[in-house]
Amino acid sequence: MDHYDSQQTNDYMQPEEDWDRDLLLDPAWEKQQRKTFTAWCNSHLRKAGTQIENIEEDFRDGLKLMLLLEVISEIVDGNVKMTLGMIWTIILRFAIQDISVEETSAKEGLLLWCQRKTAPYKNVNIQNFHISWKDGLGFCALIHRHRPELIDYGKLRKDDPLTNLNTAFDVAEKYLDIPKMLDAEDIVGTARPDEKAIMTYVSSFYHAFSGAQKAETAANRICKVLAVNQENEQLMEDYEKLASDLLEWIRRTIPWLENRAPENTMHAMQQKLEDFRDYRRLHKPPKVQEKCQLEINFNTLQTKLRLSNRPAFMPSEGRMVSDINNAWGCLEQAEKGYEEWLLNEIRRLERLDHLAEKFRQKASIHEAWTDGKEAMLRQKDYETATLSEIKALLKKHEAFESDLAAHQDRVEQIAAIAQELNELDYYDSPSVNARCQKICDQWDNLGALTQKRREALERTEKLLETIDQLYLEYAKRAAPFNNWMEGAMEDLQDTFIVHTIEEIQGLTTAHEQFKATLPDADKERLAILGIHNEVSKIVQTYHVNMAGTNPYTTITPQEINGKWDHVRQLVPRRDQALTEEHARQQHNERLRKQFGAQANVIGPWIQTKMEEIGRISIEMHGTLEDQLNHLRQYEKSIVNYKPKIDQLEGDHQLIQEALIFDNKHTNYTMEHIRVGWEQLLTTIARTINEVENQILTRDAKGISQEQMNEFRASFNHFDRDHSGTLGPEEFKACLISLGYDIGNDPQGEAEFARIMSIVDPNRLGVVTFQAFIDFMSRETADTDTADQVMASFKILAGDKNYITVDELRRELPPDQAEYCIARMAPYTGPDAVPGALDYMSFSTALYGESDL
């Protein structure tokens, strides 16, 4: 008792920390005096007819403490302070000191426990152990929280503290075996109730409900694990939906791009080209962003799963990132083929229109020439003709044959054009073929009729001797000249299509050469007209009886002069057409140069940015946050460069509208620029995501910046080719440089094979920096395990091998309780009861150790 006597000078209200220091925290005293103190207590409690066996357990309910108080009061001769101080020390040691909530002191832990338990109740605000309990609602809230069937909390009123206190005290004594240590009237009538008395009484509630506290802790752990699992499942559902939508869009788009049904008109094909441009400008860019975001979400989800010790996410069949990339590759391949097909089809239709117009012109000229020829060849005028007329008819026939031979080339040209139209699949080929066949049949018939008439004339020629040389010479010279004029008119009216200045210059040169032949042609015209004038002179001079016009030809001087005048009129028109086309080609050349100048700047700029991003991702300048900020600044500068891409798109549209198909001023096409731009946006987004995942890994695994820099320095040192990955031997050397003991013996090789299976699960033969960081931090990670979750469920189930629906709904929040109920399999063990659920298989399934 000397130790107690040394405390007589202290007031019993002395703070609990001093009592702990002087008495409770003296382990030597506790060990030596434990048996003595127990014997001493039993010697005095024997008067009250009771005994204690275990100090901690027997003093918890307060009853034996009250009996001991009466005995001690007699021992200390009525010294109240001494008595209360000793009793408070005992209470503090055996009823309060072992209370601990989140590593706080006993008093603070008990207060924190009260605050958490009463937080959901209105009109209850526990801030201390005196006035916060005066209205009695705090006691009622503690009871209702753990045993809601004992108190109807909704009927309690804050303005009736006496009823509230008596209700709580009576229920605690009757149903919870907590002695009635306090008096309701004293608490209500005191401005500041005794703190230690209330603390002592409240500690009885804590010990009474300590089992529920364990269940709550277990429930919290399960809630945490389930919350992580629910979040990951939501991310998986979001990925599946986004992947499905993107694949569905690709599935719908590829058939449209693979549709090669040709159109019959340039207007229809131009509309298809415009639809394709809208697709590239309006529809595809958002899908590029969705694809990039899908890859970012996938990488973030895999990182979260690794950090929470969950198995890697495997999307549904056909929805892997590789599947999406394959589908996207098919889309781009179809897209490239579609654009090439559109341009080729436009060229084909342009060529077809040109050929069709040329066919119609030549066919019309030929049909005009053949008009009446069959009737002429069928005439039998030679039967009644004079000798001179017969000779004239023969010479005329010879002139006709010469004309017929001259038209042979035109007929062959008509047939060749028709054949080319058929090969190019011209939509109106049937009518072209019919017209061509009609011309060919007529031409064959003309040949047959010509041969037949010649034979008749030759038979008659023996009877005729007179021949008019002048008419014959006129006919022979007039027919070729007439044919030349017709050919000249045909060429001057012929449409042309060129794509370069060189081509139009070639046509201009040919036209100038043609104009240089006009003086000689005029001389020939005058010579032919001179022959006709000579015939007229002879007729007038010798009064020759000429029955009609020149018997050898139908070409009159008036016709020759008319066609000659027409040729002279067509020459300046041709000059104007060539000049206009030359101006158009100069404009096209300016467009080529304008596009080439911009493309030659933008293309290298994109390549430079790609290289700079690659350097940033492997260099170690500053922290990961500094690298992330640097990359985001790069991303901002890249996005700000988009107007120049749009300007180049506008120039490219002008080039396509001008039907310009090549550009010698640049090796970059718009497709190169588009692909490079899309790759640049995707690369910067992926690089930012990789750094964000490194930050997430570093923070989750507790890796310091110095460690991260050391890992990066080692990784970069052995990454000889700066590819961002390490081969097996490079990775092994890197591990050895970081202190790993990996020998060349079989044990070392087996250990290295185990490590490679972790960092390279797909056996690609390379190790990425993210996999390297995951491995370096995985061994010391503090994560939840299936065994921990299983142990928590066992606490909620009261040490049973199964758990019931009611227990889940009582201990877990409603949404997570229903989540477990929906996924837990029925328990089939020998101790199963109706409705029992198997929480063990559920726990292992959460971590991928079995199927959920």
Side-chain angles (χ1 to χ4, degrees):
M1 293 299 294
D2 293 340
H3 188 84
Y4 285 100
D5 294 339
S6 66
Q7 303 296 325
Q8 290 180 359
T9 58
N10 294 333
D11 185 76
Y12 87 103
M13 295 299 289
Q14 182 178 357
E16 60 182 85
E17 291 81 357
D18 294 341
W19 289 97
D20 290 344
R21 182 175 63 251
D22 297 340
L23 179 61
L24 303 180
L25 299 182
D26 186 354
W29 176 86
E30 180 179 5
K31 183 177 181 180
Q32 296 172 5
Q33 299 299 325
R34 188 179 189 89
K35 292 183 179 180
T36 303
F37 183 75
T38 302
W40 177 84
C41 291
N42 284 333
S43 66
H44 293 289
L45 287 174
R46 196 175 295 114
K47 300 176 182 180
T50 185
Q51 294 286 301
I52 64 171
E53 297 178 0
N54 184 286
I55 298 174
E56 286 82 2
E57 296 297 330
D58 291 340
F59 282 167
R60 286 189 189 279
D61 58 3
L63 179 60
K64 294 181 179 180
L65 283 174
M66 297 298 293
L67 295 174
L68 187 60
L69 174 61
E70 296 176 5
V71 176
I72 292 175
S73 297
E74 297 174 3
I75 296 171
V76 297
D77 299 328
N79 187 329
V80 177
K81 290 185 177 181
M82 183 66 176
T83 301
L84 295 177
M86 293 178 65
I87 294 303
W88 172 245
T89 299
I90 296 173
I91 293 172
L92 186 64
R93 174 63 181 88
F94 298 106
I96 298 177
Q97 184 187 3
D98 60 345
I99 298 175
S100 177
V101 179
E102 296 185 356
E103 299 181 358
T104 61
S105 66
K107 179 179 178 180
E108 291 172 345
L110 184 60
L111 182 61
L112 180 60
W113 179 80
C114 295
Q115 290 172 340
R116 288 184 176 177
K117 293 301 181 180
T118 60
Y121 296 85
K122 65 179 182 177
N123 296 327
V124 177
N125 183 18
I126 305 301
Q127 299 297 328
N128 49 56
F129 287 105
H130 37 83
I131 61 174
S132 295
W133 304 86
K134 285 192 65 175
D135 58 8
L137 292 178
F139 295 108
C140 294
L142 286 176
I143 297 173
H144 185 268
R145 177 65 183 270
H146 296 89
R147 297 288 298 277
E149 73 278 7
L150 298 180
I151 291 180
D152 188 353
Y153 188 86
K155 293 183 178 180
L156 301 178
R157 294 186 297 112
K158 186 176 181 63
D159 57 358
D160 190 8
L162 197 61
T163 300
N164 298 339
L165 289 167
N166 285 324
T167 299
F169 296 163
D170 293 340
V171 169
E173 185 176 32
K174 182 176 180 181
Y175 297 100
L176 304 178
D177 294 328
I178 298 175
K180 191 173 183 181
M181 304 178 187
L182 304 176
D183 184 80
E185 288 76 12
D186 290 344
I187 294 176
V188 174
T190 303
R192 189 177 187 275
D194 182 78
E195 184 179 38
K196 290 182 172 56
I198 291 180
M199 189 186 304
T200 300
Y201 189 61
V202 171
S203 68
S204 300
F205 287 88
Y206 174 88
H207 291 296
F209 299 134
S210 60
Q213 178 67 23
K214 293 181 180 178
E216 181 181 3
T217 301
N220 288 337
R221 175 180 288 275
I222 293 173
C223 289
K224 176 184 175 182
V225 172
L226 294 179
V228 170
N229 214 61
Q230 288 174 312
E231 179 185 4
N232 291 339
E233 286 188 359
Q234 185 61 45
L235 289 174
M236 295 175 190
E237 293 176 2
D238 294 342
Y239 173 88
E240 292 282 346
K241 183 178 186 304
L242 188 57
S244 297
D245 294 344
L246 183 58
L247 289 171
E248 177 61 20
W249 178 82
I250 294 174
R251 185 191 65 78
R252 294 196 312 268
T253 305
I254 287 178
W256 174 66
L257 293 174
E258 291 177 343
N259 181 16
R260 300 294 190 271
E263 298 292 343
N264 295 331
T265 64
M266 280 285 291
H267 175 73
M269 288 307 298
Q270 290 282 6
Q271 183 59 47
K272 279 193 171 185
L273 182 59
E274 186 62 29
D275 293 341
F276 181 74
R277 291 180 185 140
D278 291 341
Y279 157 79
R280 290 305 306 268
R281 291 194 304 263
L282 305 177
H283 304 301
K284 184 181 177 184
K287 298 302 178 182
V288 173
Q289 295 297 324
E290 289 182 14
K291 177 177 176 292
C292 179
Q293 188 61 45
L294 187 70
E295 294 178 359
I296 291 173
N297 291 350
F298 181 84
N299 293 335
T300 302
L301 174 59
Q302 297 293 42
T303 299
K304 288 187 175 181
L305 289 172
R306 287 196 303 272
L307 295 178
S308 59
N309 201 21
R310 300 305 198 273
F313 169 56
M314 291 297 294
S316 302
E317 184 177 356
R319 297 178 184 171
M320 295 285 291
V321 172
S322 59
D323 297 326
I324 295 173
N325 288 334
N326 291 337
W328 190 264
C330 295
L331 173 72
E332 292 188 332
Q333 187 62 34
E335 178 181 307
K336 180 180 178 182
Y338 186 72
E339 185 173 22
E340 292 176 352
W341 174 78
L342 283 176
L343 296 177
N344 291 333
E345 195 65 14
I346 289 175
R347 293 192 189 99
R348 184 183 70 84
L349 288 177
E350 186 180 33
R351 174 68 177 165
L352 284 175
D353 289 344
H354 173 68
L355 289 175
E357 181 61 26
K358 193 170 184 178
F359 174 85
R360 286 190 290 270
Q361 287 185 3
K362 288 185 177 294
S364 298
I365 293 173
H366 177 78
E367 288 168 348
W369 178 83
T370 57
D371 185 33
K373 293 295 189 294
E374 291 182 6
M376 180 196 71
L377 292 172
R378 287 191 175 95
Q379 289 179 357
K380 295 184 179 181
D381 50 346
Y382 54 85
E383 293 180 350
T384 59
T386 63
L387 180 60
S388 59
E389 290 173 342
I390 288 300
K391 288 192 175 291
L393 289 176
L394 184 60
K395 297 301 181 181
K396 180 180 179 181
H397 189 72
E398 290 176 356
F400 173 77
E401 286 179 329
S402 177
D403 198 9
L404 185 68
H407 280 79
Q408 176 69 34
D409 184 59
R410 180 178 290 111
V411 174
E412 291 175 357
Q413 290 178 5
I414 291 172
I417 294 173
Q419 178 65 26
E420 188 171 359
L421 288 172
N422 279 286
E423 291 174 355
L424 295 177
D425 196 20
Y426 183 55
Y427 77 96
D428 198 22
S429 292
S431 63
V432 170
N433 292 336
R435 191 173 183 180
C436 181
Q437 186 63 44
K438 182 179 178 181
I439 289 173
C440 292
D441 293 343
Q442 186 183 38
W443 182 257
D444 293 337
N445 192 33
L446 284 176
L449 290 174
T450 300
Q451 181 64 29
K452 184 177 179 180
R453 184 171 177 83
R454 165 168 281 281
E455 292 173 355
L457 289 173
E458 286 177 348
R459 286 193 303 266
T460 310
E461 184 184 16
K462 295 178 181 180
L463 302 174
L464 303 175
E465 298 177 353
T466 305
I467 192 168
D468 192 344
Q469 291 295 334
L470 290 175
Y471 271 132
L472 181 59
E473 184 180 0
Y474 174 89
K476 287 184 177 181
R477 295 182 68 173
F481 184 72
N482 181 69
N483 189 59
W484 175 85
M485 288 192 298
E486 288 180 349
M489 289 187 294
E490 182 179 346
D491 292 337
L492 290 172
Q493 297 179 87
D494 189 18
T495 58
F496 55 85
I497 176 171
V498 295
H499 296 97
T500 64
I501 290 180
E502 290 76 13
E503 292 178 357
I504 192 62
Q505 288 175 345
L507 291 178
T508 303
T509 301
H511 183 62
E512 293 299 326
Q513 293 173 353
F514 167 77
K515 289 196 295 183
T517 65
L518 289 178
D520 292 336
D522 191 36
K523 291 179 181 179
E524 178 67 12
R525 179 182 68 86
L526 294 175
I528 293 172
L529 292 178
I531 294 173
H532 180 76
N533 293 335
E534 184 67 21
V535 171
S536 299
K537 183 178 179 181
I538 293 173
V539 169
Q540 293 176 1
T541 301
Y542 298 101
H543 304 286
V544 176
N545 183 16
M546 298 296 299
T549 59
N550 191 328
Y552 305 112
T553 182
T554 60
I555 302 173
T556 65
Q558 295 79 10
E559 184 178 352
I560 291 175
N561 287 330
K563 291 182 178 181
W564 176 257
D565 292 340
H566 191 202
V567 169
R568 296 298 297 270
Q569 293 172 1
L570 289 176
V571 169
R573 296 180 188 174
R574 184 72 168 186
D575 289 336
Q576 182 180 359
L578 290 172
T579 301
E580 292 174 353
E581 181 61 27
H582 189 269
R584 189 176 76 86
Q585 289 302 323
Q586 286 180 328
H587 173 70
N588 290 350
E589 185 67 12
R590 287 193 296 272
L591 290 178
R592 290 187 183 97
K593 291 180 178 179
Q594 180 177 339
F595 177 87
Q598 294 187 71
N600 289 336
V601 172
I602 292 175
W605 180 88
I606 290 175
Q607 182 62 32
T608 300
K609 291 300 179 184
M610 290 285 286
E611 294 172 356
E612 290 175 354
I613 292 170
R615 287 197 299 270
I616 292 173
S617 65
I618 65 175
E619 292 176 353
M620 297 184 300
H621 296 309
T623 64
L624 290 176
E625 285 76 7
D626 294 336
Q627 294 181 29
L628 184 60
N629 292 333
H630 196 185
L631 286 170
R632 284 175 174 162
Q633 290 175 2
Y634 258 79
E635 184 181 39
K636 184 177 180 181
S637 67
I638 289 170
V639 172
N640 291 337
Y641 202 78
K642 183 63 165 59
K644 294 187 179 180
I645 303 296
D646 295 336
Q647 182 181 356
L648 190 63
E649 283 281 7
D651 293 342
H652 180 253
Q653 182 173 350
L654 293 176
I655 285 178
Q656 287 195 326
E657 290 172 351
L659 299 179
I660 300 173
F661 303 108
D662 55 7
N663 191 346
K664 65 183 180 181
H665 301 292
T666 180
N667 292 325
Y668 293 99
T669 65
M670 195 63 228
E671 182 62 25
H672 292 155
I673 299 299
R674 291 186 188 120
V675 172
W677 177 253
E678 292 169 359
Q679 288 178 347
L680 180 59
L681 293 178
T682 301
T683 299
I684 187 66
R686 286 176 177 168
T687 306
I688 289 175
N689 178 247
E690 288 175 359
V691 176
E692 289 174 341
N693 284 341
Q694 291 176 23
I695 293 173
L696 185 61
T697 301
R698 181 198 66 190
D699 295 341
K701 303 296 185 178
I703 302 174
S704 67
Q705 185 62 43
E706 290 74 18
Q707 288 177 308
M708 186 64 74
N709 290 340
E710 181 184 2
F711 294 158
R712 171 58 80 180
S714 299
F715 188 93
N716 290 343
H717 176 75
F718 290 96
D719 184 14
R720 307 296 187 188
D721 56 355
H722 303 290
S723 63
T725 60
L726 297 179
E729 293 302 321
E730 293 175 331
F731 176 61
K732 184 176 182 180
C734 182
L735 290 179
I736 294 174
S737 71
L738 292 173
Y740 276 76
D741 185 12
I742 300 178
N744 293 323
D745 55 346
Q747 183 178 359
E749 293 297 330
E751 175 62 14
F752 181 70
R754 182 190 69 81
I755 295 175
M756 282 298 296
S757 67
I758 296 174
V759 298
D760 185 21
N762 296 325
R763 300 183 181 277
L764 301 178
V766 294
V767 180
T768 64
F769 182 66
Q770 184 63 44
F772 176 71
I773 292 298
D774 289 342
F775 169 75
M776 295 303 295
S777 59
R778 183 176 299 171
E779 300 297 328
T780 58
D782 183 15
T783 56
D784 295 313
T785 64
D787 291 337
Q788 290 175 324
V789 175
M790 201 180 303
S792 299
F793 271 118
K794 192 165 188 178
I795 293 174
L796 296 186
D799 287 336
K800 299 190 297 293
N801 292 327
Y802 59 85
I803 194 168
T804 65
V805 172
D806 292 338
E807 288 171 339
L808 287 172
R809 288 175 174 164
R810 183 179 69 241
E811 301 297 345
L812 299 180
D815 60 333
Q816 295 186 343
E818 297 304 323
Y819 177 85
C820 294
I821 293 170
R823 287 164 172 77
M824 282 189 183
Y827 179 72
T828 58
D831 54 342
V833 298
L837 300 176
D838 187 355
Y839 62 79
M840 295 183 182
S841 62
F842 176 76
S843 300
T844 58
L846 285 177
Y847 291 88
E849 299 175 10
S850 64
D851 294 332
L852 189 61

